């Protein structure tokens, strides 16, 4: 939008604020509010004798409606389904990630005050706040997209807003296979592990697709099972009918009332769960989750930040130490070895593609070391002329240690077929 239109929009917006009680308008349906605002803005434009073409007038009306009701300049980006992340670095720099690449857009906010207003609108919708006293906030949009806002004085160049967008089209395991994230055989083995109530940890770096993979895996949980999810910002989209969703809560203005992930995991043990799903394990709640996995809550799942399956084991060990438990290293590793059955490693490769690089089993202990065995591994071969990574998912030919669990659930034939297809 050029400077003339920006000036017109600011003056019309100020007139609108002076003439209308926006809190009264907010009680109406969204479509009715847009219609009402459109009529009022059209009147203001004609009363001020502003010279605008029909296209410019529509643009001004749309922008003002987005400012009042939506997320301002970000609305067009939220409508696009090809965008994975929106990154706002101050009012005049908005980046997006599309196709695995980060690009600068021509979208601008009017100033940092407008950006701050949008940040506050997002977080207040889920009962949180972001201001100088509480400058960091995790929240979510209505569609489940994850939001992080950090504002001055911590963000030096103005508020920084990061939105991890949810795709409108729900991804399935079949679609991940068609994208080349894994082979049909690896996908089938992971599905059987989920259906056979193996405890699964999805490991990976930031933006590697852990939550997407967790969402896909949960679709193989039987519809009759009671599932309880614990998350910092509720973003899992489970399709089963019997789901209870829990979300952590930050402290209030007085610094009290905080509910941590650990509190949620402990409490959900009293809610007769059949499966516990922790959106992200990042602290001492790891110990409580392991306890749950070891005490009859088979089929529990969670995600963890780690670069490979061996590192995921070390991270769980470190997180338990963060809880202040003074346990011998061997005792902790025995807990991990008996609780976790399968680790699925997701990675974002240098060309922006996302792959499942390992499907790894935890098979027990050897001395003081947790023993792992890979079932599938992604082998890097090279890259093509366009810079895309070329590789292949190779089965290791090992028989899964959860074979007996699969047989108990009547899935051993499916598992044998999945392994036969790999020419093992």
């Amino acid at each position: 939008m050029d400077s003339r239109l920006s000036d017109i929009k600011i003056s019309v917006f100020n007139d609108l604020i002076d003439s209308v009680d926006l809190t009264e308008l907010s009680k109406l349906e969204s479509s009715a509010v847009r219609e009402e605002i459109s009529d009022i803005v059209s009147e203001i434009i004609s009363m001020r004798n502003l010279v605008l073409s029909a296209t410019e007038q529509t643009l001004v009306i749309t922008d003002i409606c987005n400012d009042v009701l939506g997320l301002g300049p970000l609305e067009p980006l939220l409508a696009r389904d090809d965008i994975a992340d929106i990154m706002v670095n101050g009012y005049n720099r908005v980046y997006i990630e599309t196709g695995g690449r980060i690009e600068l857009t021509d979208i601008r906010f009017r100033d940092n005050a407008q950006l701050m207003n949008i940040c506050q609108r997002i977080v207040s919708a889920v009962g949180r706040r972001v201001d100088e006293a509480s400058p960091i906030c995790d929240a979510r949009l209505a569609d489940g997209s994850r939001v992080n806002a950090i504002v001055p004085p911590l963000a030096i160049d103005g508020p920084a807003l990061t939105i991890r967008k949810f795709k409108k089209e729900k991804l399935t395991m079949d679609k991940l296979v068609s994208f080349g994230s894994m082979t049909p055989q690896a996908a089938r083995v992971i599905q059987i592990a989920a259906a056979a109530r193996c405890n699964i940890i999805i490991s990976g770096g930031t933006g590697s697709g852990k939550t997407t993979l967790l969402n896909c895996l949960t679709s193989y949980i039987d519809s009759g099972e009671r599932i309880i999810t614990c998350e910092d910002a509720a973003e899992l989209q489970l399709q089963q009918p019997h789901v209870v969703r829990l979300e952590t809560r930050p402290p209030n203005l007085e610094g009290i009332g905080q509910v941590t992930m650990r509190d949620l995991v402990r409490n959900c043990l009293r809610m007769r769960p059949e499966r516990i799903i922790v959106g992200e394990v990042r602290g001492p709640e790891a110990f409580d989750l392991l306890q749950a996995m070891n005490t009859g809550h088979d089929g529990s799942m969670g995600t963890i930040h780690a670069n490979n399956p061996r590192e995921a084991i070390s991270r769980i060990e470190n997180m338990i130490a963060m809880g202040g438990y003074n346990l011998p290293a061997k005792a902790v590793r025995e807990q991990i070895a008996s609780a976790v059955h399968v680790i699925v490693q997701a990675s974002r490769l240098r060309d922006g593609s996302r792959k499942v690089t390992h499907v790894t089993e935890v098979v027990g202990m050897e001395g003081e070391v947790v023993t792992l065995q890979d079932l599938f591994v992604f082998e890097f071969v090279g890259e093509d002329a366009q810079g895309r990574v070329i590789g292949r998912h190779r089965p290791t030919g090992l028989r899964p240690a959860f074979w007996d669990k699969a047989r108990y659930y009547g899935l051993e034939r499916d598992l044998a077929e999945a392994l036969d297809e790999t020419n093992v």
Side-chain angles (χ1 to χ4, degrees), residues 168-187:
K168 293 184 181 71
E169 182 187 13
K170 190 163 170 55
L171 281 175
T172 62
M173 201 69 100
D174 290 339
K175 283 185 180 150
L176 293 183
V177 168
S178 67
F179 295 154
S181 296
M182 67 187 101
T183 60
Q185 294 80 17

Side-chain angles (χ1 to χ4, degrees), residues 155-219:
I156 295 164
D157 301 318
L161 182 67
T162 312
I163 301 174
R164 168 70 51 81
K165 266 181 90 260
F166 255 23
K167 285 185 178 292
K168 293 184 181 71
E169 182 187 13
K170 190 163 170 55
L171 281 175
T172 62
M173 201 69 100
D174 290 339
K175 283 185 180 150
L176 293 183
V177 168
S178 67
F179 295 154
S181 296
M182 67 187 101
T183 60
Q185 294 80 17
R188 189 73 190 112
V189 169
I190 297 170
Q191 290 165 15
I192 291 166
R197 298 181 68 96
C198 290
N199 295 322
I200 300 173
I201 295 291
I202 297 169
S203 161
T206 302
S208 60
K210 297 187 298 297
T211 305
T212 300
L213 201 49
L214 184 57
N215 257 328
C216 292
L217 270 183
T218 57
S219 62

Side-chain angles (χ1 to χ4, degrees), residues 44 60 92 191 295 306 359 370 395:
I44 292 169
V60 168
N92 59 351
Q191 290 165 15
T295 53
V359 178
V370 177

Side-chain angles (χ1 to χ4, degrees), residues 157-376:
D157 301 318
L161 182 67
T162 312
I163 301 174
R164 168 70 51 81
K165 266 181 90 260
F166 255 23
K167 285 185 178 292
K168 293 184 181 71
E169 182 187 13
K170 190 163 170 55
L171 281 175
T172 62
M173 201 69 100
D174 290 339
K175 283 185 180 150
L176 293 183
V177 168
S178 67
F179 295 154
S181 296
M182 67 187 101
T183 60
Q185 294 80 17
R188 189 73 190 112
V189 169
I190 297 170
Q191 290 165 15
I192 291 166
R197 298 181 68 96
C198 290
N199 295 322
I200 300 173
I201 295 291
I202 297 169
S203 161
T206 302
S208 60
K210 297 187 298 297
T211 305
T212 300
L213 201 49
L214 184 57
N215 257 328
C216 292
L217 270 183
T218 57
S219 62
Y220 298 98
I221 297 173
D222 188 83
S223 59
E225 295 184 44
R226 176 172 168 84
I227 305 164
I228 300 181
T229 69
C230 306
E231 299 174 84
D232 280 320
E235 55 181 324
L236 290 172
Q237 296 177 316
L238 274 69
Q239 304 304 304
Q240 286 77 1
H242 198 157
V243 177
V244 179
R245 302 166 76 212
L246 307 179
E247 189 175 58
T248 60
R249 187 177 72 182
N252 63 12
L253 273 168
E254 288 76 38
I256 56 174
Q258 181 179 21
V259 179
T260 65
M261 183 67 82
R262 190 153 184 215
D263 298 329
L264 292 187
V265 174
R266 279 179 168 176
N267 185 73
C268 81
L269 295 174
R270 305 183 187 106
M271 297 172 67
R272 201 214 167 272
E274 287 184 301
R275 300 220 195 199
I276 299 167
I277 296 176
V278 179
E280 190 170 321
V281 184
R282 54 159 70 110
E285 69 272 5
F287 184 74
D288 301 286
L289 181 61
L290 288 187
Q291 296 283 74
M293 287 173 164
N294 271 324
T295 53
H297 301 96
D298 292 343
S300 295
M301 302 178 190
T303 71
I304 189 169
H305 273 89
N307 294 323
N308 57 59
R310 174 63 61 191
E311 196 178 303
I313 298 290
S314 301
R315 289 265 298 136
I316 295 171
E317 207 176 322
N318 291 341
M319 287 188 280
I320 290 170
M322 283 161 59
Y325 297 104
N326 195 14
L327 295 169
K330 188 176 181 184
V332 173
R333 287 171 194 159
E334 281 171 350
Q335 281 267 17
I336 295 168
S338 59
V340 180
H341 299 125
V342 177
I343 299 171
V344 180
Q345 181 70 37
S347 296
R348 185 171 180 270
L349 305 184
R350 67 167 188 262
D351 64 349
S353 63
R354 292 166 172 84
K355 305 273 187 197
V356 171
T357 55
H358 296 77
V359 178
T360 302
E361 278 193 296
V362 181
V363 291
M365 293 278 292
E366 205 169 284
E368 294 205 359
V369 179
V370 177
T371 315
L372 304 179
Q373 73 172 17
D374 294 330
L375 299 179
F376 290 88

Side-chain angles (χ1 to χ4, degrees), residues 3-208:
S3 58
R4 181 181 74 89
L5 272 186
S6 291
D7 293 341
I8 289 172
K9 186 186 138 187
I10 291 167
S11 63
V12 171
F13 184 76
N14 290 336
D15 284 354
L16 175 73
I17 298 297
D18 292 340
S19 58
V20 177
D21 184 354
L22 292 178
T23 53
E24 286 300 313
L25 269 185
S26 65
K27 294 173 186 172
L28 300 173
E29 286 286 315
S30 178
S31 56
V33 177
R34 278 187 184 272
E35 213 170 290
E36 191 72 28
I37 289 174
S38 298
D39 292 343
I40 296 167
V41 169
S42 299
E43 274 182 42
I44 292 169
I45 288 170
S46 61
M47 282 168 57
R48 277 178 162 265
N49 295 320
L50 297 168
V51 182
L52 291 171
S53 69
T55 310
E56 288 173 333
Q57 182 161 329
T58 304
L59 192 62
V60 168
I61 289 170
T62 303
D63 277 7
I64 287 175
C65 285
N66 286 343
D67 273 356
V68 173
L69 298 170
L71 302 187
L74 297 181
E75 283 290 326
L77 298 180
L78 292 168
R80 283 175 55 184
D81 208 32
D82 62 324
I83 295 174
D85 287 90
I86 300 169
M87 295 151 277
V88 183
N89 303 357
Y91 76 95
N92 59 351
R93 291 192 311 284
V94 178
Y95 291 86
I96 58 171
E97 186 205 307
T98 177
R101 304 284 184 184
I102 292 177
E103 303 169 8
L104 178 63
T105 68
D106 57 1
I107 284 172
R108 303 282 183 275
F109 288 83
R110 189 168 57 249
D111 49 29
N112 276 330
Q114 185 195 13
L115 174 53
M116 188 68 183
N117 180 38
I118 297 293
C119 292
Q120 286 169 335
R121 186 178 303 159
I122 291 169
V123 303
S124 62
V126 289
R128 301 191 176 186
R129 65 192 188 92
V130 62
D131 50 35
E132 279 194 19
S134 177
I136 299 176
C137 185
D138 285 315
R140 57 185 156 79
L141 301 181
D143 67 352
S145 296
R146 189 192 313 167
V147 177
N148 175 269
I150 180 163
V151 303
L154 300 188
I156 295 164
D157 301 318
L161 182 67
T162 312
I163 301 174
R164 168 70 51 81
K165 266 181 90 260
F166 255 23
K167 285 185 178 292
K168 293 184 181 71
E169 182 187 13
K170 190 163 170 55
L171 281 175
T172 62
M173 201 69 100
D174 290 339
K175 283 185 180 150
L176 293 183
V177 168
S178 67
F179 295 154
S181 296
M182 67 187 101
T183 60
Q185 294 80 17
R188 189 73 190 112
V189 169
I190 297 170
Q191 290 165 15
I192 291 166
R197 298 181 68 96
C198 290
N199 295 322
I200 300 173
I201 295 291
I202 297 169
S203 161
T206 302
S208 60

